[in-house]
Amino acid sequence: MSAPHDHASTAVSSHLSLEALSALLEKIFLRHGTSAEVARVLAQNCAGAERDGAHSHGVFRIPGYVSTLQSGWVNGQAVPVVEDVASGFVRVDANNGFAQPALAAARELLVQKARSAGIAVLAIRNSHHFAALWPDVEPFAYEGLVALSVVNSMTCVVPHGADRPLFGTNPIAFAAPRAGGEPIVFDLATSAIAHGDVQIAARQGERLPQGMGVDSLGQPTTDPKAILEGGALLPFGGHKGSALSMMVELLAAALTGGNFSFEFDWNNHPGAKTPWTGQLLIVIDPDKAAGQSFAERSQELVRQMHGVGLKRLPGDRRHHQRAKSLANGIELDARTLANLRELAGD
Ligand SMILES: NC(=O)C1=CN([C@@H]2O[C@H](COP(=O)(O)OP(=O)(O)OC[C@H]3O[C@@H](n4cnc5c(N)ncnc54)[C@H](OP(=O)(O)O)[C@@H]3O)[C@@H](O)[C@H]2O)C=CC1
Ligand SMILES: O=C(O)C1=NCCCC1
């Protein structure tokens, strides 16, 4: 299957509106066996990532979604089961479906609980997350809430001090409202680099910076192919990133009832790419906590950061790209668009 975003063929590009790209992706998901709701949620998620220039988790991922659905590894028709377990706790069994429809199904109850109790936790299990994590937290900040989420992925990261991979790339995303500006949002893999970016570098024939991964013999390498073919990634920041990755395994898997990154086996499903794990979200209503405007305090922090010379906040690059995409359309090179249309059966 050819891959969207073939950077070898960027000579001619098209610009699609967010709606047009979402509609095209929705058609691909539907054509490959998802329910209408799953197609809608995943298409919006993936098109939003592409709009914001989050290329490692935009349309680049579409062949992986398609081959996973074709392999029978994930249930594209899954209906998540939402369990209201306590005043501040919601659980969802995603039923071997994607995580984002599970979040969508529980979202209203989660927000209601966060607003009444001040804090609420959502534990999603039996789920597949193949996307960027910021789309799961940023919308809460637009509603004045603080949100934190973690998800574990598949074994490809060597814990600091170990000699073989065990952890996933295990991202952490955080979002907080800010007065007079976009919310403060960061979303980072706890590995030195996301697996998706290693794949993109390999495809483009680029080397990686030092310190990202090791080859099949455990030796440091800057060759992305050596990392992908029997090698592994390293945590960011040595023991510190490794501790955060361990925390993600505990919160996203042990606490939710999902699989650890090393606990599932997709060998009998050729083409399967989506980690079958768990996800945790914590949502806080700052109005219940600070006694003063949290959003004003966020803005004050940003003012002070800029005051000491900071030029770029996490999220600035995405929002800059979002504004550009919304003004001019989302840019896709000709081959990428042709590949997507073929997958859609157009
Ligand atoms: N579903 C899954 O299992 C997994 C998903 N992923 C996803 O991969 C994506 C990429 O992760 P990763 O490679 O770690 O992301 P990056 O290292 O590119 O960026 C991490 C964060 O730091 C910010 N940032 C980057 N550079 C700067 C800078 N110079 N100054 C200030 N802020 C900066 C980014 O903001 P900005 O966005 O504005 O650049 C972003 O919020 C994430 O969306 C993550 O969720 C990763 C692992 C597993
Ligand atoms: O880029 C990554 O790392 C991952 N993204 C999607 C899920 C698997 C890991």
PDB file of all heavy atoms in Angstrom, residues 57 129 131-134 151 153 169 171 185-189 194 197 312-318, ligand 1:
ATOM      1  N   HIS A  57       1.256  12.158  12.927  1.00  0.00           N
ATOM      2  CA  HIS A  57      -0.025  11.566  13.322  1.00  0.00           C
ATOM      3  C   HIS A  57      -1.200  12.127  12.520  1.00  0.00           C
ATOM      4  O   HIS A  57      -2.335  12.094  12.958  1.00  0.00           O
ATOM      5  CB  HIS A  57      -0.231  11.703  14.836  1.00  0.00           C
ATOM      6  CG  HIS A  57       0.755  10.850  15.579  1.00  0.00           C
ATOM      7  ND1 HIS A  57       2.053  11.244  15.791  1.00  0.00           N
ATOM      8  CD2 HIS A  57       0.653   9.589  16.077  1.00  0.00           C
ATOM      9  CE1 HIS A  57       2.711  10.287  16.421  1.00  0.00           C
ATOM     10  NE2 HIS A  57       1.888   9.267  16.601  1.00  0.00           N
ATOM     11  N   HIS A 129      -5.055   3.432  20.409  1.00  0.00           N
ATOM     12  CA  HIS A 129      -4.783   4.859  20.166  1.00  0.00           C
ATOM     13  C   HIS A 129      -3.653   4.949  19.162  1.00  0.00           C
ATOM     14  O   HIS A 129      -2.551   4.481  19.421  1.00  0.00           O
ATOM     15  CB  HIS A 129      -4.396   5.539  21.482  1.00  0.00           C
ATOM     16  CG  HIS A 129      -4.609   7.020  21.478  1.00  0.00           C
ATOM     17  ND1 HIS A 129      -3.920   7.866  20.643  1.00  0.00           N
ATOM     18  CD2 HIS A 129      -5.447   7.811  22.211  1.00  0.00           C
ATOM     19  CE1 HIS A 129      -4.327   9.116  20.861  1.00  0.00           C
ATOM     20  NE2 HIS A 129      -5.256   9.111  21.809  1.00  0.00           N
ATOM     21  N   ALA A 131      -3.002   7.975  17.407  1.00  0.00           N
ATOM     22  CA  ALA A 131      -3.060   9.389  17.019  1.00  0.00           C
ATOM     23  C   ALA A 131      -2.222  10.245  17.953  1.00  0.00           C
ATOM     24  O   ALA A 131      -1.647   9.777  18.931  1.00  0.00           O
ATOM     25  CB  ALA A 131      -4.516   9.841  17.076  1.00  0.00           C
ATOM     26  N   ALA A 132      -2.185  11.544  17.643  1.00  0.00           N
ATOM     27  CA  ALA A 132      -1.616  12.523  18.574  1.00  0.00           C
ATOM     28  C   ALA A 132      -2.534  12.603  19.801  1.00  0.00           C
ATOM     29  O   ALA A 132      -3.744  12.360  19.708  1.00  0.00           O
ATOM     30  CB  ALA A 132      -1.505  13.871  17.899  1.00  0.00           C
ATOM     31  N   LEU A 133      -1.946  12.998  20.941  1.00  0.00           N
ATOM     32  CA  LEU A 133      -2.734  13.023  22.180  1.00  0.00           C
ATOM     33  C   LEU A 133      -3.335  14.397  22.469  1.00  0.00           C
ATOM     34  O   LEU A 133      -4.337  14.495  23.183  1.00  0.00           O
ATOM     35  CB  LEU A 133      -1.826  12.565  23.339  1.00  0.00           C
ATOM     36  CG  LEU A 133      -2.479  12.095  24.625  1.00  0.00           C
ATOM     37  CD1 LEU A 133      -3.523  11.010  24.384  1.00  0.00           C
ATOM     38  CD2 LEU A 133      -1.422  11.580  25.597  1.00  0.00           C
ATOM     39  N   TRP A 134      -2.724  15.464  21.905  1.00  0.00           N
ATOM     40  CA  TRP A 134      -3.256  16.791  22.240  1.00  0.00           C
ATOM     41  C   TRP A 134      -4.728  16.975  21.858  1.00  0.00           C
ATOM     42  O   TRP A 134      -5.451  17.685  22.588  1.00  0.00           O
ATOM     43  CB  TRP A 134      -2.371  17.917  21.649  1.00  0.00           C
ATOM     44  CG  TRP A 134      -2.249  17.914  20.157  1.00  0.00           C
ATOM     45  CD1 TRP A 134      -1.228  17.381  19.436  1.00  0.00           C
ATOM     46  CD2 TRP A 134      -3.188  18.426  19.195  1.00  0.00           C
ATOM     47  NE1 TRP A 134      -1.464  17.519  18.087  1.00  0.00           N
ATOM     48  CE2 TRP A 134      -2.655  18.163  17.916  1.00  0.00           C
ATOM     49  CE3 TRP A 134      -4.409  19.085  19.295  1.00  0.00           C
ATOM     50  CZ2 TRP A 134      -3.314  18.523  16.748  1.00  0.00           C
ATOM     51  CZ3 TRP A 134      -5.068  19.450  18.126  1.00  0.00           C
ATOM     52  CH2 TRP A 134      -4.526  19.172  16.876  1.00  0.00           C
ATOM     53  N   VAL A 151      -1.228   7.858  27.487  1.00  0.00           N
ATOM     54  CA  VAL A 151      -1.595   6.627  26.772  1.00  0.00           C
ATOM     55  C   VAL A 151      -0.313   5.834  26.554  1.00  0.00           C
ATOM     56  O   VAL A 151       0.741   6.422  26.323  1.00  0.00           O
ATOM     57  CB  VAL A 151      -2.328   6.966  25.442  1.00  0.00           C
ATOM     58  CG1 VAL A 151      -1.432   7.713  24.467  1.00  0.00           C
ATOM     59  CG2 VAL A 151      -2.875   5.729  24.759  1.00  0.00           C
ATOM     60  N   SER A 153       1.840   2.733  24.452  1.00  0.00           N
ATOM     61  CA  SER A 153       1.793   2.221  23.069  1.00  0.00           C
ATOM     62  C   SER A 153       2.380   0.804  23.009  1.00  0.00           C
ATOM     63  O   SER A 153       1.871  -0.063  23.729  1.00  0.00           O
ATOM     64  CB  SER A 153       2.461   3.202  22.100  1.00  0.00           C
ATOM     65  OG  SER A 153       3.831   3.369  22.344  1.00  0.00           O
ATOM     66  N   THR A 169       6.245   4.313  23.530  1.00  0.00           N
ATOM     67  CA  THR A 169       6.686   5.708  23.382  1.00  0.00           C
ATOM     68  C   THR A 169       5.853   6.647  24.266  1.00  0.00           C
ATOM     69  O   THR A 169       6.171   7.825  24.410  1.00  0.00           O
ATOM     70  CB  THR A 169       6.617   6.139  21.903  1.00  0.00           C
ATOM     71  OG1 THR A 169       5.374   5.675  21.344  1.00  0.00           O
ATOM     72  CG2 THR A 169       7.760   5.555  21.109  1.00  0.00           C
ATOM     73  N   PRO A 171       3.112   8.845  25.357  1.00  0.00           N
ATOM     74  CA  PRO A 171       3.043  10.303  25.466  1.00  0.00           C
ATOM     75  C   PRO A 171       2.236  10.810  26.663  1.00  0.00           C
ATOM     76  O   PRO A 171       1.395  10.088  27.221  1.00  0.00           O
ATOM     77  CB  PRO A 171       2.338  10.706  24.166  1.00  0.00           C
ATOM     78  CG  PRO A 171       1.514   9.533  23.812  1.00  0.00           C
ATOM     79  CD  PRO A 171       2.271   8.316  24.284  1.00  0.00           C
ATOM     80  N   VAL A 185      -0.815  24.200  25.899  1.00  0.00           N
ATOM     81  CA  VAL A 185      -0.930  22.759  25.616  1.00  0.00           C
ATOM     82  C   VAL A 185       0.454  22.206  25.276  1.00  0.00           C
ATOM     83  O   VAL A 185       1.172  22.798  24.470  1.00  0.00           O
ATOM     84  CB  VAL A 185      -1.868  22.491  24.409  1.00  0.00           C
ATOM     85  CG1 VAL A 185      -1.925  20.999  24.085  1.00  0.00           C
ATOM     86  CG2 VAL A 185      -3.266  23.023  24.674  1.00  0.00           C
ATOM     87  N   PHE A 186       0.810  21.117  25.910  1.00  0.00           N
ATOM     88  CA  PHE A 186       1.962  20.375  25.384  1.00  0.00           C
ATOM     89  C   PHE A 186       1.577  18.909  25.239  1.00  0.00           C
ATOM     90  O   PHE A 186       0.656  18.417  25.898  1.00  0.00           O
ATOM     91  CB  PHE A 186       3.233  20.546  26.231  1.00  0.00           C
ATOM     92  CG  PHE A 186       3.229  19.849  27.572  1.00  0.00           C
ATOM     93  CD1 PHE A 186       3.420  18.477  27.676  1.00  0.00           C
ATOM     94  CD2 PHE A 186       3.050  20.579  28.744  1.00  0.00           C
ATOM     95  CE1 PHE A 186       3.438  17.837  28.910  1.00  0.00           C
ATOM     96  CE2 PHE A 186       3.065  19.954  29.988  1.00  0.00           C
ATOM     97  CZ  PHE A 186       3.251  18.580  30.067  1.00  0.00           C
ATOM     98  N   ASP A 187       2.278  18.242  24.359  1.00  0.00           N
ATOM     99  CA  ASP A 187       2.013  16.833  24.068  1.00  0.00           C
ATOM    100  C   ASP A 187       3.335  16.218  23.656  1.00  0.00           C
ATOM    101  O   ASP A 187       3.865  16.557  22.601  1.00  0.00           O
ATOM    102  CB  ASP A 187       0.996  16.736  22.915  1.00  0.00           C
ATOM    103  CG  ASP A 187       0.781  15.309  22.447  1.00  0.00           C
ATOM    104  OD1 ASP A 187       1.151  14.369  23.173  1.00  0.00           O
ATOM    105  OD2 ASP A 187       0.228  15.143  21.339  1.00  0.00           O
ATOM    106  N   LEU A 188       3.896  15.372  24.499  1.00  0.00           N
ATOM    107  CA  LEU A 188       5.228  14.843  24.183  1.00  0.00           C
ATOM    108  C   LEU A 188       5.345  13.351  24.469  1.00  0.00           C
ATOM    109  O   LEU A 188       4.860  12.856  25.478  1.00  0.00           O
ATOM    110  CB  LEU A 188       6.300  15.613  24.945  1.00  0.00           C
ATOM    111  CG  LEU A 188       6.122  15.897  26.425  1.00  0.00           C
ATOM    112  CD1 LEU A 188       6.686  14.786  27.283  1.00  0.00           C
ATOM    113  CD2 LEU A 188       6.794  17.215  26.765  1.00  0.00           C
ATOM    114  N   ALA A 189       5.996  12.684  23.533  1.00  0.00           N
ATOM    115  CA  ALA A 189       6.353  11.281  23.750  1.00  0.00           C
ATOM    116  C   ALA A 189       7.394  11.245  24.872  1.00  0.00           C
ATOM    117  O   ALA A 189       8.203  12.173  24.997  1.00  0.00           O
ATOM    118  CB  ALA A 189       6.944  10.694  22.472  1.00  0.00           C
ATOM    119  N   ALA A 194       9.302  10.332  18.705  1.00  0.00           N
ATOM    120  CA  ALA A 194       8.124   9.479  18.483  1.00  0.00           C
ATOM    121  C   ALA A 194       8.453   8.434  17.414  1.00  0.00           C
ATOM    122  O   ALA A 194       9.237   8.690  16.488  1.00  0.00           O
ATOM    123  CB  ALA A 194       6.936  10.323  18.043  1.00  0.00           C
ATOM    124  N   ASP A 197       7.963   9.609  13.873  1.00  0.00           N
ATOM    125  CA  ASP A 197       9.013  10.453  13.285  1.00  0.00           C
ATOM    126  C   ASP A 197      10.210   9.620  12.832  1.00  0.00           C
ATOM    127  O   ASP A 197      10.903  10.006  11.890  1.00  0.00           O
ATOM    128  CB  ASP A 197       9.437  11.544  14.275  1.00  0.00           C
ATOM    129  CG  ASP A 197       8.423  12.674  14.321  1.00  0.00           C
ATOM    130  OD1 ASP A 197       7.882  13.035  13.246  1.00  0.00           O
ATOM    131  OD2 ASP A 197       8.143  13.183  15.416  1.00  0.00           O
ATOM    132  N   ARG A 312       8.950  30.913  22.053  1.00  0.00           N
ATOM    133  CA  ARG A 312       7.998  29.884  21.583  1.00  0.00           C
ATOM    134  C   ARG A 312       7.476  29.058  22.752  1.00  0.00           C
ATOM    135  O   ARG A 312       8.241  28.452  23.484  1.00  0.00           O
ATOM    136  CB  ARG A 312       8.730  28.980  20.589  1.00  0.00           C
ATOM    137  CG  ARG A 312       7.921  27.789  20.127  1.00  0.00           C
ATOM    138  CD  ARG A 312       8.710  26.948  19.140  1.00  0.00           C
ATOM    139  NE  ARG A 312       8.070  25.664  18.911  1.00  0.00           N
ATOM    140  CZ  ARG A 312       8.581  24.687  18.184  1.00  0.00           C
ATOM    141  NH1 ARG A 312       9.754  24.846  17.595  1.00  0.00           N
ATOM    142  NH2 ARG A 312       7.917  23.550  18.032  1.00  0.00           N
ATOM    143  N   LEU A 313       6.173  29.064  22.854  1.00  0.00           N
ATOM    144  CA  LEU A 313       5.523  28.196  23.845  1.00  0.00           C
ATOM    145  C   LEU A 313       5.168  26.878  23.161  1.00  0.00           C
ATOM    146  O   LEU A 313       4.907  26.857  21.956  1.00  0.00           O
ATOM    147  CB  LEU A 313       4.199  28.803  24.297  1.00  0.00           C
ATOM    148  CG  LEU A 313       4.194  29.936  25.297  1.00  0.00           C
ATOM    149  CD1 LEU A 313       2.761  30.450  25.420  1.00  0.00           C
ATOM    150  CD2 LEU A 313       4.695  29.455  26.648  1.00  0.00           C
ATOM    151  N   PRO A 314       5.079  25.775  23.926  1.00  0.00           N
ATOM    152  CA  PRO A 314       4.520  24.560  23.323  1.00  0.00           C
ATOM    153  C   PRO A 314       3.129  24.879  22.779  1.00  0.00           C
ATOM    154  O   PRO A 314       2.350  25.555  23.463  1.00  0.00           O
ATOM    155  CB  PRO A 314       4.440  23.568  24.488  1.00  0.00           C
ATOM    156  CG  PRO A 314       5.096  24.209  25.648  1.00  0.00           C
ATOM    157  CD  PRO A 314       5.383  25.630  25.346  1.00  0.00           C
ATOM    158  N   GLY A 315       2.831  24.428  21.609  1.00  0.00           N
ATOM    159  CA  GLY A 315       1.528  24.701  20.998  1.00  0.00           C
ATOM    160  C   GLY A 315       1.571  25.866  20.018  1.00  0.00           C
ATOM    161  O   GLY A 315       0.737  25.951  19.109  1.00  0.00           O
ATOM    162  N   ASP A 316       2.558  26.773  20.144  1.00  0.00           N
ATOM    163  CA  ASP A 316       2.628  27.934  19.238  1.00  0.00           C
ATOM    164  C   ASP A 316       2.788  27.503  17.781  1.00  0.00           C
ATOM    165  O   ASP A 316       2.132  28.046  16.879  1.00  0.00           O
ATOM    166  CB  ASP A 316       3.811  28.845  19.600  1.00  0.00           C
ATOM    167  CG  ASP A 316       3.509  29.766  20.772  1.00  0.00           C
ATOM    168  OD1 ASP A 316       2.344  29.797  21.222  1.00  0.00           O
ATOM    169  OD2 ASP A 316       4.440  30.457  21.237  1.00  0.00           O
ATOM    170  N   ARG A 317       3.686  26.532  17.554  1.00  0.00           N
ATOM    171  CA  ARG A 317       3.913  26.077  16.173  1.00  0.00           C
ATOM    172  C   ARG A 317       2.622  25.509  15.581  1.00  0.00           C
ATOM    173  O   ARG A 317       2.249  25.822  14.458  1.00  0.00           O
ATOM    174  CB  ARG A 317       5.018  24.998  16.153  1.00  0.00           C
ATOM    175  CG  ARG A 317       5.349  24.467  14.765  1.00  0.00           C
ATOM    176  CD  ARG A 317       6.019  23.101  14.852  1.00  0.00           C
ATOM    177  NE  ARG A 317       5.219  22.126  15.574  1.00  0.00           N
ATOM    178  CZ  ARG A 317       4.220  21.413  15.042  1.00  0.00           C
ATOM    179  NH1 ARG A 317       3.905  21.562  13.780  1.00  0.00           N
ATOM    180  NH2 ARG A 317       3.524  20.558  15.789  1.00  0.00           N
ATOM    181  N   ARG A 318       1.907  24.722  16.377  1.00  0.00           N
ATOM    182  CA  ARG A 318       0.655  24.124  15.889  1.00  0.00           C
ATOM    183  C   ARG A 318      -0.368  25.196  15.562  1.00  0.00           C
ATOM    184  O   ARG A 318      -1.049  25.134  14.531  1.00  0.00           O
ATOM    185  CB  ARG A 318       0.060  23.193  16.952  1.00  0.00           C
ATOM    186  CG  ARG A 318       0.504  21.781  16.877  1.00  0.00           C
ATOM    187  CD  ARG A 318      -0.340  20.844  17.715  1.00  0.00           C
ATOM    188  NE  ARG A 318      -0.653  21.286  19.052  1.00  0.00           N
ATOM    189  CZ  ARG A 318      -1.827  21.784  19.440  1.00  0.00           C
ATOM    190  NH1 ARG A 318      -2.825  21.898  18.594  1.00  0.00           N
ATOM    191  NH2 ARG A 318      -2.017  22.162  20.690  1.00  0.00           N
TER     192      ARG A 318
HETATM  193  N1  LIG B   1      -0.773   7.499  20.306  1.00  0.00           N
HETATM  194  C1  LIG B   1       0.400   7.135  20.750  1.00  0.00           C
HETATM  195  O1  LIG B   1       0.566   6.043  21.288  1.00  0.00           O
HETATM  196  C2  LIG B   1       1.575   8.033  20.600  1.00  0.00           C
HETATM  197  C3  LIG B   1       1.443   9.296  20.074  1.00  0.00           C
HETATM  198  N2  LIG B   1       2.523  10.133  20.005  1.00  0.00           N
HETATM  199  C4  LIG B   1       2.335  11.483  19.480  1.00  0.00           C
HETATM  200  O2  LIG B   1       3.459  11.899  18.740  1.00  0.00           O
HETATM  201  C5  LIG B   1       3.446  13.323  18.679  1.00  0.00           C
HETATM  202  C6  LIG B   1       4.846  13.830  18.646  1.00  0.00           C
HETATM  203  O3  LIG B   1       5.473  13.668  19.908  1.00  0.00           O
HETATM  204  P1  LIG B   1       6.935  14.283  20.149  1.00  0.00           P
HETATM  205  O4  LIG B   1       7.818  13.920  19.023  1.00  0.00           O
HETATM  206  O5  LIG B   1       7.364  13.961  21.510  1.00  0.00           O
HETATM  207  O6  LIG B   1       6.625  15.818  20.013  1.00  0.00           O
HETATM  208  P2  LIG B   1       7.661  17.048  19.859  1.00  0.00           P
HETATM  209  O7  LIG B   1       8.954  16.714  20.489  1.00  0.00           O
HETATM  210  O8  LIG B   1       7.668  17.500  18.461  1.00  0.00           O
HETATM  211  O9  LIG B   1       6.924  18.184  20.688  1.00  0.00           O
HETATM  212  C7  LIG B   1       6.605  17.982  22.033  1.00  0.00           C
HETATM  213  C8  LIG B   1       5.964  19.223  22.622  1.00  0.00           C
HETATM  214  O10 LIG B   1       6.944  20.238  22.766  1.00  0.00           O
HETATM  215  C9  LIG B   1       6.579  21.388  22.027  1.00  0.00           C
HETATM  216  N3  LIG B   1       7.799  21.926  21.449  1.00  0.00           N
HETATM  217  C10 LIG B   1       8.569  21.356  20.505  1.00  0.00           C
HETATM  218  N4  LIG B   1       9.645  22.121  20.261  1.00  0.00           N
HETATM  219  C11 LIG B   1       9.538  23.203  21.064  1.00  0.00           C
HETATM  220  C12 LIG B   1      10.337  24.371  21.285  1.00  0.00           C
HETATM  221  N5  LIG B   1      11.465  24.556  20.619  1.00  0.00           N
HETATM  222  N6  LIG B   1       9.916  25.278  22.184  1.00  0.00           N
HETATM  223  C13 LIG B   1       8.770  25.083  22.878  1.00  0.00           C
HETATM  224  N7  LIG B   1       7.966  24.010  22.717  1.00  0.00           N
HETATM  225  C14 LIG B   1       8.359  23.078  21.822  1.00  0.00           C
HETATM  226  C15 LIG B   1       5.580  20.954  21.008  1.00  0.00           C
HETATM  227  O11 LIG B   1       4.715  22.008  20.644  1.00  0.00           O
HETATM  228  P3  LIG B   1       4.207  22.170  19.095  1.00  0.00           P
HETATM  229  O12 LIG B   1       3.228  21.045  18.903  1.00  0.00           O
HETATM  230  O13 LIG B   1       3.585  23.512  19.016  1.00  0.00           O
HETATM  231  O14 LIG B   1       5.433  22.015  18.245  1.00  0.00           O
HETATM  232  C16 LIG B   1       4.853  19.816  21.764  1.00  0.00           C
HETATM  233  O15 LIG B   1       3.858  20.300  22.599  1.00  0.00           O
HETATM  234  C17 LIG B   1       2.597  13.769  19.863  1.00  0.00           C
HETATM  235  O16 LIG B   1       1.426  14.376  19.362  1.00  0.00           O
HETATM  236  C18 LIG B   1       2.258  12.496  20.607  1.00  0.00           C
HETATM  237  O17 LIG B   1       0.983  12.447  21.206  1.00  0.00           O
HETATM  238  C19 LIG B   1       3.748   9.776  20.474  1.00  0.00           C
HETATM  239  C20 LIG B   1       3.908   8.526  21.008  1.00  0.00           C
HETATM  240  C21 LIG B   1       2.874   7.541  21.078  1.00  0.00           C
END
